[in-house]
Amino acid sequence: MALSLALNDKWDIHTDENGNIAVVEDAHAIAQNCANAVRLFTNDAYFNRDRGIPHFDIELGKKALASRSTLYNRIKQAVMGVEGVTDAEVILEFDYKNRTYGGEVIITTNDNTTVTIEL
């Protein structure tokens, strides 16, 4: 059973109706852990600096656009590294006006539950 601290819409921990730190379980916890993995920059995890996606090396601070396949592979690799994920489909969409990528990741958990997370 996957278990994680529940994050609110501002990506902060909060308390439940009983005043305890809120937690999420199973597919919701795995999806939240996947979203965290995609948002984690290399060198940001205090105890494991190697985790994360090297966004600064790929797409930030560069005039040229990041390769869609490179970004796709980095996101998929980060999501597949989350415990409880058995498969992931990354869907990237490019906004030409703002020059940004968005999209979603559809994950399948070890109990065959499918969850979609927004990028």
Side-chain angles (χ1 to χ4, degrees):
M1 173 177 78
L3 186 68
S4 185
L5 296 177
L7 301 177
N8 62 19
D9 58 347
K10 296 181 182 180
W11 285 82
D12 199 0
I13 61 173
H14 61 281
T15 57
D16 62 17
E17 61 276 355
N18 297 322
N20 300 315
I21 294 178
V23 295
V24 291
E25 297 177 354
D26 301 324
H28 188 166
I30 293 170
Q32 184 173 278
N33 292 341
C34 287
N36 285 332
V38 171
R39 287 171 173 80
L40 180 64
F41 282 55
T42 305
N43 293 321
D44 276 355
Y46 187 78
F47 292 107
N48 190 349
R49 301 256 185 219
D50 294 332
R51 290 190 61 208
I53 298 175
H55 289 293
F56 286 112
D57 296 336
I58 299 172
E59 67 269 358
L60 298 178
K62 311 277 186 194
K63 289 187 178 184
L65 294 175
S67 162
R68 179 183 297 259
S69 62
T70 299
L71 192 53
Y72 172 92
N73 287 329
R74 298 282 183 157
I75 291 170
K76 183 158 183 167
Q77 182 180 19
V79 171
M80 291 301 295
V82 173
E83 186 176 338
V85 175
T86 58
D87 193 22
E89 179 185 353
V90 179
I91 301 168
L92 291 176
E93 300 167 357
F94 185 70
D95 178 355
Y96 286 95
K97 181 179 179 187
N98 296 316
R99 296 175 44 93
T100 58
Y101 279 107
E104 58 190 21
V105 180
I106 303 167
I107 60 170
T108 304
T109 64
N110 52 8
D111 65 353
N112 277 339
T113 302
T114 302
V115 183
T116 302
I117 58 172
E118 194 174 317
L119 297 177

